[in-house]
Amino acid sequence: MGREIAGFVDAGAVGDYSGRLKALCEKLGCTFTDPFADLRDGDTGYAKPGALRDGLHLAKFRPAIKALAPALCGGENHSHSMVPGGFDVMS
């Protein structure tokens, strides 16, 4: 998720990339949702400690899915929602 330079990814590009996606979504009348924002360590683009199980894959999918629930389920006040894919999201 960043610019790749000679096999290395520029993690600092994640914030810029997300900002560009958000601007494009606004221009098109879409809602931008970043399910990984709370898993990143500030503006570095790197994952917070414990967010990844092996340095590449998420340790837990529930936080990312829960972040998508308001956009997919029509609001933030859902105490129990099913999101596409059959994921049960509990608040």
Side-chain angles (χ1 to χ4, degrees):
M1 232 180 136
R3 291 178 288 245
E4 189 168 331
I5 303 168
F8 296 96
V9 174
D10 177 7
V14 171
D16 179 53
Y17 184 67
S18 294
R20 289 172 187 238
L21 286 174
K22 183 176 182 180
L24 178 61
C25 286
E26 289 171 357
K27 183 177 178 179
L28 297 174
C30 301
T31 300
F32 174 78
T33 302
D34 183 354
F36 306 107
D38 290 341
L39 302 175
R40 284 195 295 272
D41 189 15
D43 293 330
T44 68
Y46 289 100
K48 290 180 180 176
L52 304 176
R53 66 183 156 139
D54 58 4
L56 181 61
H57 299 97
L58 290 177
K60 298 177 185 172
F61 284 89
R62 190 171 299 275
I65 293 168
K66 193 172 180 181
L68 288 174
L72 296 175
C73 300
E76 296 183 22
N77 297 322
H78 290 277
S79 60
H80 185 121
S81 301
M82 289 295 288
V83 296
F87 291 101
D88 184 13
V89 179
M90 301 293 288
S91 293

